[in-house]
Amino acid sequence: MTEETEDRTEHHLREAIRHLGEAQDGDLRKTNAVAIEEVITTVSTVLREYTEDE
């Protein structure tokens, strides 16, 4: 992986962790379903970037 890809991957993983934290903390601005959907999207993006870099 390139440094740019690693930076993007780290960013997306941090976003996934943040979304899970918001869901776990019961952030009233987000439903658990929305948080889970955002995590799925984030993880999918990371996997797609990883696959493209191979």
Side-chain angles (χ1 to χ4, degrees), residues 20-42:
L20 287 173
E22 288 174 352
Q24 186 177 34
D25 291 342
D27 186 343
L28 297 178
R29 293 174 293 159
K30 291 182 179 281
T31 64
N32 286 341
V34 171
I36 289 169
E37 182 178 334
E38 289 179 356
V39 170
I40 290 169
T41 301
T42 300

Side-chain angles (χ1 to χ4, degrees), residues 4-16:
E4 179 183 344
T5 301
E6 289 175 3
D7 289 344
R8 284 188 306 187
T9 300
E10 181 180 350
H11 169 76
H12 289 302
L13 290 174
R14 287 186 187 282
E15 284 294 301

